[in-house]
Amino acid sequence: MTTKPLRAGLVGLGSMGRHHARVLAGLEGVDFVGVVDPFGDKYGAAQGAPVLSTVEELIALGIDYAVVACPTALHEEVGLQLAEAGVCALVEKPVADTVEGARRLVQAFESRGLVAGVGHIERCNPALRSLRARLEAGELGDVYQVVTRRQGPFPHRIADVGVVKDLATHDIDLTGWVTGRQYVSIAAHTVSKSGREHEDMVSAVGRLDDGTMVNHLVNWLSPLKERFTSVTGERGCFIADTLTADLTFHSNAAVATEWEALRAFRGVSEGDMIRYAIPKREPLQVEHELFRDAVLGKPADICTLRQGMRTVEVAAAVLESAMGLRSVSLQPEDLSTSGT
């Protein structure tokens, strides 16, 4: 007996929504039945699906789930409509523009037993998936530090949030995800140099619940586009380039040195470097396959709404720290809920 395809819809045909439409149109086991965008299909990206004006019209098509790719400020409103109608949802990151909004979305979907996730796509990057698996296998030993750099030119498509909620949320989520730990403190500085009301650069230092040190540098002010993650630990350092999906490992030296000056140093020295061969599937395709499987009730490692809410809480703490020029403490939460 063949399984009936899931009926999926999309809200928003902006920069990210157009990519979602492309993937949904070819996703195995899914029928892409409609798109909501009040401005219509300006770029011809709807892949033949009917373009509707309201979320209510999309719900009326009898969808099983929807991808929410409208502006961040509308995530809560659209998500609550879907939850009330009993429709599962994959919400683009960040899950909401406020902590309170994120909490309301979590309550709405969890209370109805609906599958809902957040599109933190870096979790589907081949380099980071390989890194996480290697950390879980203990290849690095104790983890000491996670450092991320995410910088590049200003994206004119972003108008409703600053660099913390738009870009730094990637690094906040991936750091917690690859290490399996939670933030307990954060201290940050921000600047705004582009004439917008929101910040366009942030530098943050944090600590995870096992003592791991965290450093994030994120900006929209650099002509150099960079997506860098390094994890340093007992046995060396992993470096992931998520632009190229490459992962390398720099090991601590295992050979003795004859040089007296180095022998007196009780730290580490440079050892072998390994560049791993990793299958490089498109992260957005992987994200959609995982969410489809979650809706079908299969085991799937998606970013849950509750995990997405935690990322919004940390991002809010970053902004609070920058405004108050002080370190902000965070209480660890139970993020074990995986069905929402």
Side-chain angles (χ1 to χ4, degrees), residues 93 150 163-171 218-220:
K93 65 87 204 162
R150 185 175 299 268
V163 76
V164 170
K165 291 183 179 178
D166 182 65
L167 279 191
T169 47
H170 279 301
D171 294 313
V218 189
N219 76 66
W220 278 329

Side-chain angles (χ1 to χ4, degrees), residues 8-301:
L10 171 64
V11 181
L13 274 175
S15 178
M16 196 65 201
R18 296 195 292 274
H19 290 294
H20 282 295
R22 170 180 54 81
V23 175
L24 280 169
L27 188 60
E28 184 179 355
V30 170
D31 286 339
F32 182 31
V33 299
V35 184
V36 175
D37 197 306
F39 299 104
D41 187 8
K42 297 188 296 184
Y43 303 97
Q47 305 291 322
V51 181
L52 312 169
S53 298
T54 66
V55 175
E56 290 85 357
E57 292 176 85
L58 183 63
I59 292 171
L61 294 179
I63 55 174
D64 297 297
Y65 73 91
V67 177
V68 180
C70 52
T72 305
L74 299 176
H75 286 185
E76 180 186 355
E77 176 187 341
V78 173
L80 292 178
Q81 284 181 274
L82 294 170
E84 186 175 348
V87 176
C88 300
L90 173 61
V91 184
E92 260 302 335
K93 65 87 204 162
V95 63
D97 59 347
T98 66
V99 172
E100 294 75 19
R103 289 172 179 165
R104 284 189 287 268
L105 283 173
V106 168
Q107 196 280 331
F109 282 92
E110 285 189 353
S111 65
R112 293 171 172 85
L114 295 169
V115 176
V118 186
H120 279 292
I121 197 167
E122 290 288 43
R123 294 189 179 206
C124 300
N125 187 284
L128 293 178
R129 291 179 72 81
S130 179
L131 170 57
R132 183 184 190 228
R134 294 177 186 281
L135 292 180
E136 288 180 337
E139 293 184 18
L140 195 60
D142 290 339
V143 175
Y144 302 152
Q145 182 184 49
V146 180
V147 175
T148 69
R149 296 195 302 270
R150 185 175 299 268
Q151 52 189 350
F154 174 69
H156 293 284
R157 62 183 176 83
I158 302 297
D160 57 342
V161 295
V163 76
V164 170
K165 291 183 179 178
D166 182 65
L167 279 191
T169 47
H170 279 301
D171 294 313
I172 292 167
D173 179 74
L174 75 85
T175 297
W177 180 70
V178 299
T179 62
R181 314 306 305 192
Q182 293 190 56
Y183 288 77
V184 292
S185 69
I186 198 81
H189 293 281
T190 60
V191 296
S192 180
K193 297 291 187 180
S194 60
R196 301 170 68 251
E197 63 173 308
H198 301 293
E199 78 290 342
D200 42 37
M201 175 179 281
V202 60
S203 177
V205 177
R207 185 167 62 88
L208 304 183
D209 56 11
D210 63 346
T212 297
M213 179 187 296
V214 175
N215 301 80
H216 301 308
L217 177 62
V218 189
N219 76 66
W220 278 329
L221 300 176
S222 171
L224 167 68
K225 187 171 184 179
E226 184 179 32
R227 301 289 185 266
F228 171 94
T229 300
S230 72
V231 182
T232 302
E234 181 181 6
R235 297 181 183 136
C237 176
F238 283 109
I239 295 179
D241 182 335
T242 52
L243 283 177
T244 60
D246 289 325
L247 179 67
T248 56
F249 177 61
H250 298 259
S251 69
N252 296 339
V255 295
T257 177
E258 296 293 327
W259 191 2
E260 191 64 32
L262 286 180
R263 291 182 63 187
F265 174 60
R266 295 182 179 273
V268 300
S269 55
E270 187 176 354
D272 295 332
M273 184 188 78
I274 302 171
R275 179 180 175 184
Y276 298 102
I278 304 170
K280 297 182 179 181
R281 300 188 64 219
E282 182 187 3
L284 191 61
Q285 180 75 30
V286 174
E287 179 179 272
H288 274 272
E289 291 173 358
L290 290 172
F291 191 74
R292 173 203 62 198
D293 290 350
V295 173
L296 290 171
K298 300 177 182 179
D301 183 21

Side-chain angles (χ1 to χ4, degrees), residues 106 118 120 123 173 177 301-312 335-338 340:
V106 168
V118 186
H120 279 292
R123 294 189 179 206
D173 179 74
W177 180 70
D301 183 21
I302 66 170
C303 177
T304 69
L305 279 196
R306 190 167 287 274
Q307 292 166 344
M309 176 188 72
R310 179 61 173 181
T311 295
V312 173
L335 301 180
S336 60
T337 304
S338 59
T340 55

